[in-house]
Amino acid sequence: GFGTLELGKNTKPDGRTIFEIGSITKVFTGIALADLVVEGKAKLDEPLESLLPKGVLVPERDGVKITLEHLATHHSGLPRVPTVVLTRTLFGKDPYADVLEKDLFDFLKIWKPSRPSGKEYDYSNLGAGLLGVALATRAETTFEELLNTKIIKPLRLVDTTLKLDDARIARLAKPYLKGGKPGNSWRFDALAGCGGLKSTVDD
């Protein structure tokens, strides 16, 4: 292990140290999509709207619908984050905590695309999070259980999880801000598909 787990203490990280792996979660979300496609339960060119609850409309530009492939490859045209996350960040709060599916769907009601989907690469946590929501809806389960069933359990990733129990919290590498001030771990709810996983080097 390199460095220390806590400032001022000589505690080395090891293979079982829990880290917030952030956007590496998107790889898992993409694999879950690929798995459903192979099973014939989803299609890459399928519109996002067809996987969301009835009545949830997804804006489009020039008649081009956002597809699952657009979401997975960051070509949806969606912004990096929805307004609610920006607001929480500005006020110094845990930006993704308590962001619910309703918040994402409410954002879609007011969002106006500036260009057709599929035209340009534009990194979007919102897009990856919506992909997670859509896949879980299609699989009739939660995003957490979808990852567990498709990836985590088959690969025996014993410490890869969206939610930490007390034993794993004790092994979590503590976050710090620039300058060495203690930070806070982030909690992901509806946007878990973009960055919610915790894992270890061993996993």
Side-chain angles (χ1 to χ4, degrees):
F2 177 80
T4 62
L5 287 175
E6 293 185 62
L7 286 178
K9 295 186 180 181
N10 191 28
T11 49
K12 298 287 185 184
D14 60 25
R16 295 181 69 248
T17 300
I18 305 279
F19 292 94
E20 297 172 79
I21 65 172
S23 286
I24 296 173
T25 304
K26 293 180 177 68
V27 177
F28 287 72
T29 306
I31 291 171
L33 167 61
D35 205 58
L36 289 179
V37 169
V38 168
E39 290 178 356
K41 296 179 179 177
K43 296 179 180 179
L44 291 178
D45 60 358
E46 194 168 358
L48 165 63
E49 190 172 286
S50 67
L51 281 79
L52 297 181
K54 188 176 181 180
V56 177
L57 303 178
V58 178
E60 57 187 71
R61 185 72 181 252
D62 298 345
V64 180
K65 295 182 180 294
I66 295 176
T67 68
L68 302 186
E69 183 176 4
H70 291 151
L71 296 174
T73 62
H74 299 279
H75 281 77
S76 67
L78 286 161
R80 190 178 186 94
V81 294
T83 311
V84 63
V85 172
L86 277 178
T87 303
R88 294 177 67 85
T89 303
L90 289 173
F91 284 94
K93 296 182 178 180
D94 186 351
Y96 294 93
D98 301 318
V99 176
L100 307 177
E101 289 183 12
K102 180 183 181 301
D103 297 315
L104 306 185
F105 301 155
D106 285 347
F107 177 82
L108 290 176
K109 289 178 184 176
I110 62 170
W111 176 62
K112 298 187 185 308
S114 60
R115 60 182 180 275
S117 299
K119 289 291 186 182
E120 296 178 32
Y121 173 88
D122 198 358
Y123 191 86
S124 176
N125 281 331
L126 171 58
L130 277 168
L131 179 58
V133 170
L135 296 178
T137 302
R138 173 57 58 84
E140 298 182 333
T141 187
T142 64
F143 180 68
E144 180 178 30
E145 188 53 35
L146 181 66
L147 293 189
N148 284 337
T149 302
K150 299 293 184 187
I151 307 168
I152 292 171
K153 289 180 180 178
L155 294 179
R156 300 178 185 175
L157 305 179
V158 296
D159 281 320
T160 300
T161 180
L162 290 172
K163 298 174 185 174
L164 296 176
D165 55 24
D166 290 342
R168 289 189 177 95
I169 288 174
R171 290 191 277 131
L172 179 66
K174 291 179 171 52
Y176 288 90
L177 303 174
K178 186 177 180 180
K181 292 182 179 180
N184 296 306
S185 296
W186 283 5
R187 195 185 87 231
F188 289 77
D189 290 305
L191 287 169
C194 79
L197 281 175
K198 291 83 177 169
S199 191
T200 64
V201 171
D202 283 352
D203 274 9

